[in-house]
Amino acid sequence: MKKYIDFLDKFKWVVAIGVPLLVFALASNLKHLEMDGSYRIWFGEDSKTLIDYDNFRKTFGNDDAVIISFKDENGIFNKKALQSIDNITQKLWKTKYIARVDSITNYQYVHSDPEVPDDFIVEDFIQDIQTQDEAYFEKRREIAINDSLVADGFISRDGKTTMISARLTPKVNDDSDKSAEIMKLVNEILAPEIKRTGYKYHLNGGPPLNQSFVQIGTSDATTFTPLVLIASIILLFLLFHRVSGSLIPIAVVIFTFMTVLSVQVLLGYKLNNFTANLPVFVVAIGIADAVHIYIIWLMYKREGQANKDAVFHSVQKNMLPVFLTSLTTAIGFATLTISKVIPVLTLGIATASGAFLAFIISLFWMPAVLLLIKKDVKAKEVEKVVNKKPFGYGAFIVRNDKKIIAITTLIFAVLTVGLFKVKVDSNTIRYFDKSVDIRKSTEFLMENLTGPMPYEIIVDSGRKDGIKDPEFMKTVERFYEEFQEKFPDVRHMSSLIDTVKRFNYVLDGKEEIPDTQELIAQYLLLYSLSLPQGMEINDKMDIDEQKLRVTGRINIVDTSVDLEMINYAHDWWKDTPYTASVQGQTAMFAYMQSDVTDTLIYSLSLAIFLVSIIMLIIFKRPKLLWVFVLPNLLPVMLVVGLMGWIGINIDIGVAIAGAIIIGVAVDATIHFLVKYFDARKRGLNLADSFDEVLRYAGRAILFTTIILSIAFSLFAFSTFTPNQNFGIVTASALIIAFVVDLLLLPALLSVTERD
């Protein structure tokens, strides 16, 4: 160790200047840093969910669309509102990346000709808006609000709210996310309409959702990273009363995350809503190492040691625990790589590498910088530290160990009950705070018109032309009825059977499915021939007319309810001669719930297992292993239990928090145990050993807990709900971990070691 410090002392200027220069050279690549908010980033390319969805799009086209909705309190059926709908519809038809546009004005209305009752007409529902009178609009209103094909679809039952659906071309986002470009084009169309009408147009669908992910991810990264760094600098200065105590630990953190981000760019990764917060995660990784090294260096300086000796003793005392904590922190983060949720996996890789990088910078660059500090500690300060009286902490622990265990056990038992109350939810709309436009727009659509979350149910008749079989169509109709009866959140169902029933009503007076396949085939042919270009029905069935697409519009519900509905649909069709699958982006994110749950359970279990192995290797005390592991497991269990009590659902943010809490909380445990066993080896009794731990590790543990809990709690102000939950959960868990490490852990050691 002495040779290492001599080396650093000899080349301190080279190291102190060379490391930042190298980091800044790498950081030149950050100009190529990009954000990606596409739905595809959540799934691996070999994901069955993604493969099934891509196959669905190849057959039926895209389910992704821009949904524009608005409300007129006087009713939609007036010239101003209908002209606005028609203007937007016509312009969207001509817009890049838009394959099809549907609205109340171009809805293909099937009806009979009053002058020729045996004939039928298929035409735009609203025509020649500016030349029509009030009677025409009132008649159209009465038809629309009582038409099952459009009511609760394009128009609300009260006739006041409507929507325009602009479906995207099938492969629009395959190579790169075009959401920003699409939204720019849509906003250019809406701008003159907003000025002319004064309506508030609400935007839903894939592009607005993707753009919201990007905007909030960018906003959080550019807001919380500076806030966390500034808060950390202020707190470090208040704790150390030294500029170097603020700037050196923060420099370690900055160099670490700049390097990690630069490597991410070089490897071709794009940022997402989780990796955008990588700098803040690195604060959690790097700050603890730097604070422990700095605080011990400062302590030895205050005891009157020469600067080089203080650096030597600080590095010597911290080398093993800092290495071990970096290893366990890296393990905690690395366990996230088992997740099937790709943003979580990439975050795990980046943060695990950041843990080792922070270790290298802390024990290479930081000592070199400390060796440059020539300012001595004042004599009065030295005298104050040397003559400081012993702590009473150790005696308190030994005297009250069983009481501490009993009280904490009672508190923890109450909180743990909440584990049985907690729910998992990965609904994408609820990922956004209620103040975010995409969530407000989606809730507006749900409250005023229809379900904003589409299900695409693909029913396979089992044979070519099978969808024209009357028995098949009647089975689909029965599914409609039973599905909506079972789940009130299913607001609207639609497919080609609605068109067939409408034709039968127009030509035969009965709105029901015909009894012959020939008649059904005739109706579909007549309908196809009557449609304008671009409004074909090939997105409603496959080319062999074997599979039928049924679209359900569903309210925003918990993911568990989504899965219940999806499983019900699968099970319902198992009792028929046909098969069905539920596709679409809503279903994709519902399927992801199990991945979120697995991330929390498996990564947490793996982290605990690996940390246990490391602690067993380090301390070689199998009988005390449970004492070593318990303080790291309890904070996660207790904070998740607390979530159950206060009603916070487990989402991806919480799933990530579990592994991070283990990785960070174990740092304090290792520093405590290393210094405790070192004191015991030197013959100190229990009380004196605990006092020494508090002296050499207690303040650093306290300081890092304060800094990290405040830093992470800032995420509570994010408008991205997983970030909010991550911040609340992590800050709470670190505070719990601090209490556990400085009260329960020594109390357990006191009882077991004394016995």
Side-chain angles (χ1 to χ4, degrees), residues 224 227-228 230-232 235 238-239 280 703-717 727 730-732 734-735:
F224 292 112
L227 273 179
V228 167
I230 291 168
S232 299
L235 288 167
L238 291 174
L239 295 169
V280 180
F703 288 4
T704 52
T705 300
I706 292 171
I707 293 167
L708 294 179
S709 57
I710 291 176
F712 284 127
S713 64
L714 291 173
F715 277 102
F717 300 100
T730 307
S732 303
L734 291 178
I735 293 170

Side-chain angles (χ1 to χ4, degrees), residues 36 122 139 153 545-546 587 596 705 717:
D36 189 351
V122 180
K139 184 177 180 181
E545 299 182 2
Q546 175 178 321
V596 174
T705 300
F717 300 100

Side-chain angles (χ1 to χ4, degrees), residues 39-75:
Y39 70 90
R40 300 188 73 87
I41 68 169
W42 300 89
F43 305 92
E45 289 302 319
D46 60 345
S47 164
K48 184 179 184 302
T49 300
L50 188 60
I51 292 170
D52 289 346
Y53 178 64
D54 285 342
N55 289 334
F56 157 76
R57 288 191 306 147
K58 287 176 185 176
T59 305
F60 295 95
N62 213 331
D63 70 322
D64 206 355
V66 178
I67 307 294
I68 303 169
S69 59
F70 69 93
K71 184 174 186 178
D72 188 323
E73 290 294 347
N74 297 317

Side-chain angles (χ1 to χ4, degrees), residues 621-636:
R621 293 173 180 244
K623 291 182 179 179
L624 289 180
L625 184 60
W626 68 275
V627 176
F628 305 155
V629 174
L630 190 62
N632 305 304
L633 182 60
L634 275 177
V636 180

Side-chain angles (χ1 to χ4, degrees), residues 10-133:
K10 183 178 180 180
F11 296 101
K12 53 182 176 288
W13 282 105
V14 175
V15 174
I17 297 172
V19 169
L21 288 176
L22 180 61
V23 171
F24 291 133
L26 274 173
S28 63
N29 294 292
L30 293 179
K31 62 187 177 186
H32 303 298
L33 200 60
E34 295 180 58
M35 278 286 296
D36 189 351
S38 168
Y39 70 90
R40 300 188 73 87
I41 68 169
W42 300 89
F43 305 92
E45 289 302 319
D46 60 345
S47 164
K48 184 179 184 302
T49 300
L50 188 60
I51 292 170
D52 289 346
Y53 178 64
D54 285 342
N55 289 334
F56 157 76
R57 288 191 306 147
K58 287 176 185 176
T59 305
F60 295 95
N62 213 331
D63 70 322
D64 206 355
V66 178
I67 307 294
I68 303 169
S69 59
F70 69 93
K71 184 174 186 178
D72 188 323
E73 290 294 347
N74 297 317
I76 290 298
F77 289 89
N78 62 73
K79 288 184 179 180
K80 183 176 79 168
L82 291 173
Q83 189 62 62
S84 181
I85 296 169
D86 192 53
N87 290 346
I88 295 168
T89 301
Q90 298 306 321
K91 289 177 182 177
L92 284 172
W93 265 116
K94 302 172 185 177
T95 301
K96 189 179 180 182
Y97 305 126
I98 302 296
R100 173 174 176 155
V101 186
D102 292 284
S103 68
I104 192 64
T105 57
N106 76 344
Y107 157 57
Q108 295 303 292
Y109 178 43
V110 182
H111 61 104
S112 60
D113 187 341
E115 297 180 2
V116 188
D118 292 335
D119 204 355
F120 71 92
I121 298 172
V122 180
E123 63 182 359
D124 289 350
F125 187 59
I126 305 291
Q127 299 181 32
D128 304 322
I129 296 168
Q130 294 303 320
T131 62
Q132 303 294 352
D133 56 18

